[in-house]
């Protein structure tokens, strides 16, 4: 008869844990070196990169040669400095192509409508003009009847002013002083100008190249939506637009 086997906490733990997956260590080291290069503020020399990676210079060089062959790293012929290569751009473009930016924006608009109790819409510059392509109504409170497909003008609407302020070249429909003030504030504010008793706040969403892609606009009765560029609703709107922009590859703004 077999004798019972004594168990210890160590053997019990080993029996219950799944074995770690076996990877390729050299690949992980190379990716870590590439990640370190990608985080540099600019092109970096071999010695400095090896120092930061705590790696022998010759070893770092061999990894960089392989990464360069695959297009992930590029070495400047004159300075000898290394920087990320064209494969990074191709990867970024492929990733961006898989992002449904309309649904990203619509999800944020729905969340804002529910959180703040005001209508929130997504608008783009279409062939017919500045057009609402998604309109999200609050579950409670007083909703403002904005129809999907509604058009907005630049001079009087918060949505239109977003495009007037950030589109290039500048729209002649928006006075230069107002355009400058809007860009400094980071969003547009309309207090009863488009419709009496109705306020609106609009903010821009940018693509990976820093170009205006769409606008998110909050619309609501003056009693529930303050026309205040520094109020709680304005802050929430800015944060939502920032999240969409960053998700699409734009650089986050400084805090």
């Amino acid at each position: 008869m077999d004798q019972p086997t004594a168990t210890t906490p160590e053997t019990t733990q080993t029996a219950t844990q799944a074995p770690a997956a076996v990877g390729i260590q050299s690949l992980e080291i190379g990716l870590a070196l590439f990640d370190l290069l990608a985080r540099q503020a600019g092109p970096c020399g071999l010695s400095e990169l090896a120092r930061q990676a705590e790696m022998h210079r010759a070893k770092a060089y061999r990894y960089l040669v392989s990464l360069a062959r695959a297009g992930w790293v590029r070495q400047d012929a004159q300075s000898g400095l290394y920087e990320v290569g064209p494969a990074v751009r191709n990867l970024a473009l492929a990733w961006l192509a898989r992002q449904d930016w309309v649904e990203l924006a619509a999800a944020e608009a729905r969340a804002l409508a529910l959180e703040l109790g005001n209508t929130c819409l997504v608008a783009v510059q279409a062939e017919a003009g500045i057009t609402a392509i998604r309109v999200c109504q609050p579950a409670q409170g007083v909703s403002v009847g904005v129809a999907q497909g509604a058009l907005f003008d630049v001079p009087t609407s918060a949505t239109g002013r977003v495009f007037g302020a950030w589109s290039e070249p500048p729209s002649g429909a928006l006075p230069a002083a107002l355009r400058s003030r809007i860009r400094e504030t980071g969003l547009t504010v309309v207090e009863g100008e488009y419709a009496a008793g109705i306020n609106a706040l609009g903010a821009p969403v940018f693509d990976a190249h820093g170009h205006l892609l769409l606008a998110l606009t909050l619309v609501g009765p003056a009693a529930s939506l303050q026309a205040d560029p520094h109020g709680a609703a304005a802050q929430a709107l800015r944060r939502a637009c920032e999240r969409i922009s960053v998700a699409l590859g734009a650089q986050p703004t400084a805090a």
Side-chain angles (χ1 to χ4, degrees), residues 7-54:
T7 61
T8 66
E10 290 78 13
T11 58
T12 302
Q13 184 180 17
T14 302
T16 57
Q17 286 182 343
V22 178
I24 302 174
Q25 186 179 25
S26 60
L27 176 60
E28 294 173 1
I29 294 171
L31 288 173
L33 184 66
F34 172 76
D35 182 66
L36 185 62
L37 175 63
R39 293 174 183 275
Q40 301 297 310
C44 186
L46 172 60
S47 297
E48 175 60 20
L49 194 61
R51 184 191 67 78
Q52 293 185 31
E54 298 181 348

Side-chain angles (χ1 to χ4, degrees), residues 44-255:
C44 186
L46 172 60
S47 297
E48 175 60 20
L49 194 61
R51 184 191 67 78
Q52 293 185 31
E54 298 181 348
M55 185 184 297
H56 192 278
R57 190 175 184 277
K59 182 179 180 180
Y61 174 73
R62 290 194 295 273
Y63 277 108
L64 290 170
V65 168
S66 294
L67 288 166
R69 286 174 180 167
W72 295 102
V73 166
R74 186 180 76 84
Q75 184 182 25
D76 185 80
Q78 293 184 339
S79 67
L81 299 178
Y82 292 90
E83 59 184 336
V84 295
V88 177
R89 179 198 61 223
N90 297 336
L91 178 65
L93 291 174
W95 180 83
L96 287 172
R98 288 170 170 78
Q99 305 307 303
D100 190 334
W101 52 271
V102 173
E103 286 309 313
L104 281 173
E108 290 287 356
R110 284 192 292 271
L112 283 173
L114 291 174
E115 175 189 351
L116 302 174
N118 288 295
T119 301
C120 189
L121 62 93
V122 181
V124 299
Q125 178 72 63
E127 186 176 351
I130 301 165
T131 308
I133 58 171
R134 293 286 188 278
V135 179
C136 303
Q137 300 291 3
Q140 297 178 340
V142 180
S143 61
V144 175
V146 180
Q148 188 164 301
L151 298 175
F152 302 93
D153 65 50
V154 172
T156 64
S157 70
T159 304
R161 288 180 181 180
V162 171
F163 289 88
W166 278 280
S167 293
E168 296 294 347
S171 170
L174 202 63
L178 178 57
R179 180 177 186 268
S180 177
R181 187 163 65 250
I182 289 171
R183 289 172 71 101
E184 288 178 8
T185 306
L187 89 173
T188 62
V189 180
V190 165
E191 187 172 11
E193 297 169 50
Y194 193 74
I198 301 297
N199 293 344
L201 303 171
V205 170
F206 302 101
D207 64 17
H209 304 288
H211 301 145
L212 178 66
L213 181 64
L214 58 89
L216 236 59
T217 305
L218 285 167
V219 187
S224 64
L225 181 63
Q226 285 186 311
D228 180 3
H230 306 293
Q235 303 273 6
L237 179 61
R238 284 193 189 91
R239 289 192 296 268
C241 290
E242 172 88 352
R243 285 192 294 269
I244 303 167
S245 297
V246 170
L248 294 174
Q251 291 296 315
T253 57

